[in-house]
């Protein structure tokens, strides 16, 4: 993994940091490949229950590194995880974006690939691609209307105007607004609450939430059984029941 993407693991939480502050954490091809590698690692590690994605410095991510693209003609796309190394296939574990500064264009598309978003109070979030003659094709026009009301998403997509952190929270795009400089700390609080829960249950619950968007109401209960039945039969489910009866914290094994 390159120095452009840092990975730290502690107390069941992985923190992935985009580390290119000199270009506002913009993503070139090597950075996209490094981010995909970090996501692969956290998916495979049994000691990781929740993941935070953040950026070094005053900007979460400026999206695609246009200067690098102009010089190399290499688009920052991973063959499996897609644009920026995350847009098409984020990690399987709960993923929280911790935003300082702006998340515009590709930066917001990376945040939209995450499950939860914490934004600093002065942050702005938006998809200005139409102002540049482009379409937010790295997940922006696909995911934003699923996260907030369609009419609101349509206005943001067609005008290219950003939301403040408070506005984004009012529409449900942002989960928590932190004081400037504190987004990572607030994201860690959220990740700690998540990581205290059973890993198999977390993984199954996330998959059902995401995949059920394409299920009909009639088939949902049948299709979720493929994920919920193994969890119900797991050692962790039995441990959760015992811990409740014995009034103690459960000891999860992920089995």
């Amino acid at each position: 993994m390159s120095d452009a993407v840092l990975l730290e693991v502690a107390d069941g939480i992985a923190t992935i940091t985009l580390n290119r502050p000199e270009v506002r954490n913009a993503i070139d091809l090597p950075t996209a490949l490094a981010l995909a590698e970090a996501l692969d690692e956290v998916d495979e590690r049994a000691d990781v229950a929740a993941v935070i994605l953040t950026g070094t410095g005053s900007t979460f991510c400026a999206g695609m590194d246009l200067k690098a693209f102009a010089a190399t003609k290499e688009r920052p796309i991973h063959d499996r995880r897609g644009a920026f190394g995350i847009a098409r296939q984020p990690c399987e574990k709960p993923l929280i974006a911790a935003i300082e500064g702006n998340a515009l264009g590709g930066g917001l598309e990376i945040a939209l690939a995450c499950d939860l978003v914490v934004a600093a109070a002065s942050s702005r979030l938006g998809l200005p691609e139409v102002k540049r003659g482009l379409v937010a094709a790295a997940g922006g026009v696909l995911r934003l209307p699923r996260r907030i009301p369609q009419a609101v998403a349509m206005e943001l997509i067609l005008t290219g105007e950003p939301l403040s952190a408070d506005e984004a929270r009012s529409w449900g795009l942002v989960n928590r607004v932190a004081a400037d400089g504190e987004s990572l700390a607030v994201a860690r609080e959220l990740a700690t609450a998540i990581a205290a829960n059973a890993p198999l249950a977390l993984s199954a619950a996330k998959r059902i939430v995401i995949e059920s968007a394409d299920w009909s109401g009639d088939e949902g209960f049948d299709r979720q059984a493929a994920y919920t039945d193994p969890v119900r039969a797991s050692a962790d489910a039995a441990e959760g029941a015992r811990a409740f009866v014995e009034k103690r914290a459960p000891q999860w094994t992920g089995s």
Side-chain angles (χ1 to χ4, degrees):
M1 196 178 304
S2 74
D3 291 339
V5 176
L6 308 177
L7 173 62
E8 298 178 2
V9 176
D11 302 321
I13 300 167
T15 302
I16 300 173
T17 303
L18 302 175
N19 187 41
R20 304 185 75 213
E22 70 281 2
V23 291
R24 296 180 297 151
N25 297 318
I27 308 290
D28 59 4
L29 179 58
T31 304
L33 298 180
L35 178 54
E37 181 183 350
L39 295 173
D40 286 344
E41 181 172 340
V42 298
D43 273 345
E44 294 168 0
R45 289 184 61 155
D47 60 339
V48 173
V51 185
I52 298 170
L53 177 61
T54 191
T56 300
S58 60
T59 299
F60 173 66
C61 176
M64 180 175 170
D65 187 333
L66 297 177
K67 289 184 178 179
F69 174 70
T72 66
K73 307 303 180 186
E74 295 177 332
R75 299 179 65 83
I77 299 175
H78 183 264
D79 58 0
R80 176 168 45 85
R81 294 198 181 269
F84 311 124
I86 188 175
R88 189 179 185 92
Q89 184 182 326
C91 67
E92 297 175 3
K93 296 175 180 178
L95 179 58
I96 305 167
I99 296 172
E100 292 287 338
N102 295 336
L104 301 174
L108 179 55
E109 289 178 307
I110 290 171
L112 287 169
C114 300
D115 304 303
L116 305 171
V117 178
V118 175
S122 64
S123 297
R124 296 186 305 153
L125 300 87
L127 297 172
E129 279 83 352
V130 293
K131 293 178 178 289
R132 303 165 190 157
L134 300 171
V135 175
V141 295
L142 295 174
R143 287 194 172 107
L144 189 61
R146 296 185 179 187
R147 299 284 278 266
I148 63 177
Q150 181 173 319
V152 179
M154 190 72 80
E155 179 179 341
L156 296 174
I157 290 166
L158 297 183
T159 65
E161 294 298 320
L163 294 173
S164 69
D166 284 332
E167 289 171 330
R169 188 175 190 277
S170 73
W171 289 117
L173 179 57
V174 165
N175 295 83
R176 298 184 184 181
V177 175
D180 287 347
E182 295 297 320
S183 66
L184 181 56
V186 173
R188 282 181 176 143
E189 293 175 1
L190 193 53
T192 298
I194 292 170
N197 299 316
L200 293 179
L202 289 173
S203 178
K206 173 175 172 172
R207 291 190 67 178
I208 293 169
V209 169
I210 293 172
E211 295 182 19
S212 64
D214 298 323
W215 299 350
S216 70
D218 289 340
E219 69 181 346
F221 285 95
D222 292 332
R223 293 188 66 174
Q224 73 172 359
Y227 304 112
T228 59
D229 286 355
V231 173
R232 188 178 296 112
S234 70
D236 276 352
E239 166 63 7
R242 284 195 301 270
F244 177 80
V245 170
E246 297 169 7
K247 298 181 180 180
R248 60 173 174 80
Q251 302 298 312
W252 309 122
T253 62
S255 62

